[in-house]
Amino acid sequence: ATVIDATGRYVYPGLFDAYTPLGLTEIGGIPTVNLRQEVGDFNPHMRAIVALNVDSELLGVTRANGVTNVLSTPSSGIISGQAALIHTAGWTWEDLAAKPTAAYVVNYPREPSFAFGPQPTPAQQQQARERVEQNLRDLRAMLGTAREYDRARAAGSRAFDQQYEALRPLVRREIPAIVSADSEEQIRGVLALADTFGIDVI
């Protein structure tokens, strides 16, 4: 074993932030310094690791406060992209990378809460429900097609699609999906997706 003489020193655990925009967002309200969000509902091919701002002031501040590793996560859409497990010290994104693709980030479709502001009309509530149902159908279709695409590629198909190619590790259960879900209904829906399509979810 390696013996380190810590006489007269303090030893602290390295803290871990398991879900953060660190490295992707510098100032949240300014789009040009926010690399966390992409256009479109399905971006499984977008990799947080190559979008990291290694010069971010926030990395040094976070490290100085005892956080040594974080899961840097994209957001927006239904499948936001690939989260990266990174160190908070390093000069390049290759230095920072502990696991370049640690998980896929999926936002389970849900109705807006309408907790603040004017309450929606019944017609607006119905539109919101229909939008959620359509998003769920789209998510199921995406996962189903990804599974069939993976089988075809494994069988020798040369057809290539960037989005479905990116999803192959998910449908093969090599990389899990982190799925945001709040209510019991949503959690049950996520578990049903996992059972139906044979994916691992967190």
Side-chain angles (χ1 to χ4, degrees), residues 112-126 128:
S113 67
F114 301 114
F116 303 100
Q119 291 301 300
T121 65
Q124 289 172 325
Q125 288 178 325
Q126 180 61 28

Side-chain angles (χ1 to χ4, degrees), residues 25 31 61-62 77-78 81 93 97 102 107 109 111 113 126 144 147 155 181 198 202:
T25 300
V61 171
T62 301
I78 299 172
W93 68 262
N107 298 301
E111 293 181 44
S113 67
Q126 180 61 28
R147 189 169 58 177
I202 299 169

Side-chain angles (χ1 to χ4, degrees), residues 1-6:
T2 300
V3 177
I4 298 172
D5 184 0

Side-chain angles (χ1 to χ4, degrees), residues 126-176:
Q126 180 61 28
Q127 286 178 340
R129 279 192 291 273
E130 290 173 359
R131 191 163 44 248
V132 168
E133 290 168 4
Q134 183 59 56
N135 287 341
L136 280 170
R137 285 193 293 271
D138 292 344
L139 177 57
R140 292 187 188 104
M142 172 68 80
L143 293 173
T145 304
R147 189 169 58 177
E148 294 305 315
Y149 175 90
D150 177 62
R151 289 174 180 162
R153 291 282 284 163
S157 171
R158 292 175 158 257
F160 181 87
D161 183 285
Q162 186 177 19
Q163 286 187 323
Y164 294 121
E165 190 71 25
L167 284 170
R168 293 183 73 189
L170 176 65
V171 297
R172 290 177 169 189
R173 303 184 91 158
E174 296 169 356
I175 297 174

